[in-house]
Amino acid sequence: MSDLWGRVDALLSGAERPSRYIDREWGAVHRPDAAYRVALMYPDTYEVGMANQALQVLADRLATLADVACERVFVPWVDMAAALREAGVPLFTLESCLPVSECDLLGITLPHELAYTNILGALDLAGIPLRAADRGEADPLVIGGGPAAHNPEPIAPFFDAILIGDGEEAVLELVAAHRSARRAGVGREEIVRSLARVEGVYVPSLYGAGPGGRLVASAGAPERVKRRVVRDLNEFESPACPVVPYADVVHDRATVEVLRGCSRGCRFCQAGMVYRPVRERSSDSIVRDAVAALTCTGHEEISLTSLSTADHSQLADVLRRLARRLEGTGIAVSVPSLRVDSFTLSLARLLGGGRKSGLTFAPEAGSQRLRDAINKNITEDELLATVRAAFGAGWRRLKLYFMLGLPTETDEDVAEIGHLVARVLAAAKEVTPPRERGGIRIAVSVSTFVPKAHTPFQWEGQLPLSGVRHRQAVLREAMPGKGVELSWHDAETSFLEAALARGGREMADVIERAWRSGAGFDAWTEHFSLTRWRAAFEAAGIDAETAAEAPFAEDAVLPWSHIDSGLAPAFLLAERRRAYGAETTADCTFGDCTGCGVCPSLSADLVLAGERRG
Amino acid sequence: MAEGFRLRVCHRKTGRLRYLSHLELVRACERAARRAHLPYAVSQGFTPRMRIAFGPALPVGTAGEREYFDLLLTRYIPADEVCASLTAVTAYDLAPLSCSYVSGREPSLAAALTIACYDLDVKGGIPPEDLRHALDALLRAGTLSTEHKGKTKVFDLAAALPKEPEVRSSEDHTTVRLTVRMGEQGSLRPDVLVRTALGHDVPATVTRTDLLIDDKGVWRRPL
């Protein structure tokens, strides 16, 4: 084991924010004598990666194995990466300051497409061959997992294995499979083959091109890889003692995941499709784990996270109990991802007990017709009523998310966003005392629709960039001039996201070429260059526009056809048809089964802590 | 700070944790106080904050052997008990060294601590005589001007350095011991002083070894 600290230390006085690299935070676990080492990497900076709950959960699970060390790895910022390269210091883990290449397993989160070049940069800095095919016996197993794994093809050649779905159980099984294959004395090829026997694990090297563009599994690998699902979250305690960062990280707070999955059924939303079924944690375990995490970390805020926290059937009970426990401590409870239709005045009052942070809602579309088409089941009256309730209860800041380029969208739908925002502003003013109206802040954030795998819109192409710019102009024209801050998610990065998200294995060449020509930190606007990416597409012989914008035929073999998310293809197609007819579909947690297919296909079921009231 | 029990904590900031920024240090100490379940006082208002106040900030990368903060408690707990509970939940390199209650009427640490002592370990084999000569020459010149974020500060060295710098050397490194008076325009940074004296950058580790109150010419520790 080589400790690189002395060489890293020598570079820190010149580094931006050196606390990113020093370890020694409260809660960091050091196991110098471990027999097996896992490096868990988030492919972005410390500040972004430390906010990732999945890494905390996986580290917590790995910590149950007494002779296994789990060490964190983040991507050094541009200045430090250059300093490390110049000094010949490889990418290191935080806890032992050990070269990542000396670990047994390197687990990498796949958060979104814009992180792909960072993965290559990190592998290269670690001295690990970029492509699985070029790795030898001494190299760590490189295993991915996370949201972007649901279309693994664009990055498949860089990974020895990719986990599709929940990791709580699979991470331990992967380590066990690796260790047992090693004990059996078999070589890398056999080791990787053994990973394919773990439920939910996709081993790209075992799949080759077959007739009609379909990927065909070789012997011993499943024809389609079924997404891994944890049946009941209550079986896993939320991490009680996660690492407490010194640096000011994104979402710097303790967290408890209160539920997983969301079946509201927004047709553009990949998370709402691929994390089904809804599994709520019981209020007892939420309160217990929240208090445990606050006690152990000393954080000043606890966040109750999920895709849609206000949908939790026992949320009011949880908030009341937490408020009692935290009285007089100055500790705040926050609830991200509120839905307009589940935000109520009583919820507003319960949250108002602590600090009033801003509220965020995502109507996504301006007109009722388009909201129906995307199955965002909220009406304008509900939105306005919610705004009145919130501003009446003292909130002064509101953020609204919208999307441009949704299937079936017209210029009129986009102009409606502006009109809707004007009515929201008027409603907010109406219930705010005149002398406080100056404090009203309404921020409108607009992104571009990116069609994603395993959604009813997976066959759609993206609206071309010129069309996006036109719609942006339409929206700018229709927005109220005063009292609203309008911001855009960069349309060019969304274009790249679409091209990568809809791609197959051929996309790996594009990604590697882009990285070799200097791409990295693509999610950071100041580092993103579409020109560089276009050159990479061209050099790889792939038309970027076609990749992002050409729709798939409904009977086409999609690049992710071999990944079984549990959703019945007939359900996705039916949902697409209903979208075109502006017909909505209800949420199964409030009523009848909608036939998405996940429960029977993955032998899972809804887990509700109580009755949900719509 | 009033209406409560004002506890003064002396702690170290050493080793790797010398790389913490002042804001990071503040947050780390607040979180330690919460982990220790201390009955800390919370400010009134929209965003309640812990009532905690720090001495003069250390630059990122500079270690401190005796740093201070004052924490207001709503309930009296024997100081050594507070110290023990804080120690149990604090990283070694930020650990408290001693704790004691002080009067609510005493001026704040930031105002009271005006004398700082530093050890600057110079690496790279600069002969101690060269350092001594360079520092002497700079002191004779009388002033030092620095540039920080576009602002120029001019330090009167006779006022800023109430004691003669000492240069000591051992086998592998040379140490400059400095005593600096912190004034209205801030504190003269020891690395800047040495860099200016030598006319070039030198690799060095800097440690603030002590912070003192100047009580009408008598220097004493705040605890």
Side-chain angles (χ1 to χ4, degrees):
Chain A
M1 231 176 92
S2 2
D3 184 347
L4 297 169
W5 173 251
R7 298 170 69 192
V8 171
D9 192 7
L11 304 173
L12 286 185
S13 57
E16 218 178 285
R17 305 199 199 181
S19 70
R20 289 164 166 169
Y21 310 108
I22 61 176
D23 182 63
R24 298 299 189 267
E25 304 97 324
W26 189 252
V29 179
H30 300 93
R31 287 188 179 161
D33 302 321
Y36 187 94
R37 256 163 228 288
V38 179
L40 282 186
M41 182 178 97
Y42 189 94
D44 207 308
T45 61
Y46 178 94
E47 289 86 340
V48 178
M50 281 297 288
N52 186 262
Q53 253 181 303
L55 285 188
Q56 296 171 13
V57 169
L58 294 181
D60 213 47
R61 295 293 292 149
L62 287 164
T64 61
L65 306 173
D67 61 344
V68 171
C70 175
E71 315 215 347
R72 293 166 296 150
V73 181
F74 300 102
V75 181
W77 186 240
V78 183
D79 66 328
M80 185 63 171
L84 289 168
R85 282 183 194 280
E86 201 189 318
V89 181
L91 185 67
F92 55 92
T93 66
L94 287 184
E95 280 78 359
S96 305
C97 213
L98 174 80
V100 170
S101 60
E102 289 183 23
C103 293
D104 300 283
L105 191 161
L106 168 58
I108 303 179
T109 302
L110 305 170
H112 49 73
E113 292 76 15
L114 299 176
Y116 291 164
T117 50
N118 272 10
I119 294 174
L120 297 192
L123 287 172
D124 184 68
L125 189 57
I128 298 171
L130 299 188
R131 299 207 175 222
D134 299 327
R135 290 180 198 136
E137 300 298 336
D139 291 311
L141 285 179
V142 179
I143 303 183
H150 293 96
N151 175 18
E153 287 316 300
I155 39 151
F158 309 126
F159 284 86
D160 295 299
I162 294 173
L163 170 67
I164 319 294
D166 297 338
E168 278 92 343
E169 296 159 325
V171 70
L172 301 188
E173 293 165 26
L174 281 165
V175 169
H178 187 202
R179 298 182 87 181
S180 107
R182 266 199 189 157
R183 271 195 300 275
V186 299
R188 192 170 182 101
E189 203 174 312
E190 218 27 63
I191 291 176
V192 168
R193 194 174 285 276
S194 75
L195 300 181
R197 289 194 281 274
V198 175
E199 195 192 328
V201 172
Y202 171 54
V203 175
S205 60
L206 300 181
Y207 294 74
R214 198 176 287 277
L215 282 171
V216 179
S218 59
E223 197 187 319
R224 296 185 78 209
V225 180
K226 254 190 209 299
R227 175 166 62 91
R228 190 67 186 264
V229 169
V230 162
R231 313 263 175 271
D232 187 355
L233 290 188
N234 289 307
E235 286 170 24
F236 305 95
E237 280 176 26
S238 176
C241 292
V243 177
V244 185
Y246 292 116
D248 190 7
V249 306
V250 182
H251 307 317
D252 193 3
R253 57 203 179 192
T255 50
V256 173
E257 185 188 19
V258 298
L259 67 98
R260 194 171 296 175
C262 170
S263 41
R264 290 281 181 171
C266 299
R267 293 178 176 127
F268 56 85
C269 178
Q270 190 187 42
M273 294 291 155
V274 302
Y275 292 114
R276 293 172 178 222
V278 167
R279 288 146 290 162
E280 292 184 351
R281 223 183 260 280
S282 73
S283 48
D284 284 352
S285 74
I286 295 168
V287 173
R288 176 200 66 205
D289 293 354
V291 171
L294 286 169
T295 306
C296 193
T297 61
H299 272 294
E300 51 279 11
E301 182 179 340
I302 179 89
S303 182
L304 305 178
T305 63
S306 76
L307 291 170
S308 184
T309 297
D311 279 344
H312 193 289
S313 55
Q314 307 289 307
L315 183 65
D317 177 50
V318 168
L319 290 176
R320 265 191 293 272
R321 286 165 69 181
L322 282 176
R324 257 199 315 274
R325 297 286 288 267
L326 301 177
E327 204 184 341
T329 59
I331 293 172
V333 180
S334 66
V335 174
S337 322
L338 283 174
R339 280 185 58 102
V340 173
D341 40 5
S342 48
F343 180 92
T344 60
L345 195 55
S346 66
L347 182 59
R349 289 206 178 103
L350 281 168
L351 282 170
R355 289 172 211 176
K356 274 197 191 67
S357 47
L359 275 179
T360 302
F361 294 125
E364 306 294 4
S367 69
Q368 194 59 48
R369 187 205 62 79
L370 189 52
R371 280 197 298 275
D372 288 346
I374 61 175
N375 205 38
K376 192 86 202 187
N377 288 329
I378 51 164
T379 64
E380 181 170 323
D381 287 346
E382 281 174 319
L383 175 62
L384 295 180
T386 300
V387 167
R388 282 191 202 97
F391 281 77
W395 265 269
R396 293 292 171 261
R397 283 187 296 145
L398 174 67
K399 190 166 187 180
L400 296 171
Y401 282 105
F402 292 96
M403 253 189 252
L404 291 184
L406 286 162
T408 78
E409 181 184 272
T410 62
D411 284 5
E412 288 71 50
D413 292 316
V414 171
E416 275 301 308
I417 296 176
H419 306 149
L420 179 63
V421 170
R423 289 191 286 271
V424 164
L425 183 60
K429 279 187 179 158
E430 188 187 302
V431 295
T432 303
R435 60 191 164 75
E436 289 175 33
R437 284 183 192 157
I440 295 178
R441 294 277 176 279
I442 302 211
V444 174
S445 177
V446 186
S447 62
T448 312
F449 167 66
V450 178
K452 292 272 171 136
H454 309 285
T455 68
F457 291 155
Q458 63 178 347
W459 295 277
E460 309 290 336
Q462 191 178 45
L463 179 67
L465 270 175
S466 56
V468 174
R469 301 228 158 89
H470 166 72
R471 296 256 161 89
Q472 287 181 340
V474 170
L475 177 55
R476 213 176 279 122
E477 191 64 29
M479 284 296 273
K482 268 171 56 182
V484 177
E485 290 164 44
L486 177 63
S487 64
W488 310 98
H489 190 276
D490 181 33
E492 293 190 346
T493 55
S494 302
F495 169 73
L496 176 65
E497 271 184 87
L500 295 179
R502 306 172 78 241
R505 216 174 265 201
E506 74 285 352
M507 217 47 91
D509 285 342
V510 178
I511 297 166
E512 185 172 340
R513 281 171 199 275
W515 172 71
R516 290 201 185 281
S517 66
F521 287 107
D522 288 307
W524 296 68
T525 317
E526 70 269 35
H527 286 280
F528 178 76
S529 157
L530 187 58
T531 314
R532 190 157 45 203
W533 275 96
R534 281 194 188 281
F537 273 96
E538 204 161 301
I542 294 173
D543 183 60
E545 268 71 24
T546 306
E549 295 158 12
F552 291 114
E554 287 186 352
D555 58 354
V557 174
L558 300 172
W560 47 89
S561 289
H562 56 302
I563 302 300
D564 181 4
S565 58
L567 293 152
F571 168 78
L572 294 178
L573 263 181
E575 280 296 293
R576 186 188 197 205
R577 300 270 151 72
R578 292 172 77 88
Y580 280 89
E583 284 178 73
T584 61
T585 299
D587 179 341
C588 66
T589 60
F590 293 90
D592 295 339
C593 172
T594 53
C596 77
V598 166
C599 293
S601 139
L602 303 182
S603 342
D605 212 342
L606 292 178
V607 180
L608 299 181
E611 198 191 339
R612 284 190 170 188
R613 288 179 205 91
Chain B
M1 281 199 180
E3 77 273 4
F5 303 88
R6 182 174 170 191
L7 183 86
R8 181 158 291 174
V9 179
C10 172
H11 68 95
R12 61 165 85 90
K13 181 188 179 231
T14 53
R16 296 187 187 196
L17 299 192
R18 72 185 186 279
Y19 287 115
L20 299 190
S21 72
H22 186 64
L23 272 178
E24 290 169 343
L25 170 80
V26 169
R27 211 165 30 227
C29 293
E30 289 175 356
R31 287 175 179 170
R34 274 190 221 98
R35 288 195 291 267
H37 293 292
L38 299 182
Y40 55 84
V42 171
S43 69
Q44 302 296 307
F46 211 54
T47 51
R49 305 280 318 181
M50 185 181 295
R51 302 275 305 271
I52 189 168
F54 285 75
L58 275 174
V60 174
T62 300
E65 283 175 358
R66 304 184 62 84
E67 298 294 308
Y68 299 89
F69 64 83
D70 284 351
L71 176 65
L72 196 68
L73 300 181
T74 56
R75 187 155 54 77
Y76 175 83
I77 299 177
D80 51 346
E81 276 180 36
V82 177
C83 229
S85 359
L86 274 177
T87 305
V89 295
T90 304
Y92 172 85
D93 279 326
L94 283 187
L97 305 169
S98 59
C99 304
S100 179
Y101 285 98
V102 297
S103 153
R105 285 186 305 275
E106 273 205 35
S108 73
L109 285 164
L113 294 170
T114 53
I115 306 292
C117 308
Y118 293 94
D119 274 358
L120 190 127
D121 272 359
V122 183
K123 296 177 192 103
I126 293 175
E129 296 71 38
D130 293 9
L131 254 175
R132 242 177 241 122
H133 290 314
L135 284 168
D136 284 346
L138 181 62
L139 285 177
R140 275 196 303 278
T143 59
L144 183 157
S145 59
T146 65
E147 194 80 47
H148 185 63
K149 288 179 184 162
K151 272 193 204 162
T152 307
K153 284 183 188 174
V154 180
F155 288 97
D156 169 7
L157 291 180
L161 298 171
K163 278 170 93 170
E164 286 268 301
E166 285 174 54
V167 180
R168 304 169 182 197
S169 70
S170 67
E171 278 162 32
D172 55 343
H173 63 104
T174 301
T175 303
V176 182
R177 175 156 289 185
L178 291 168
T179 304
V180 176
R181 185 183 294 278
M182 295 174 280
E184 272 166 23
Q185 54 173 330
S187 171
L188 174 61
R189 284 182 59 151
D191 50 338
V192 173
L193 181 82
V194 171
R195 189 195 311 142
T196 311
L198 289 171
H200 58 83
D201 247 328
V202 277
T205 55
V206 186
T207 305
R208 185 153 76 187
T209 54
D210 230 337
L211 280 166
L212 303 169
I213 295 172
D214 182 352
D215 203 349
K216 299 180 189 99
V218 180
W219 294 355
R220 62 170 175 92
R221 283 180 172 164
L223 204 77

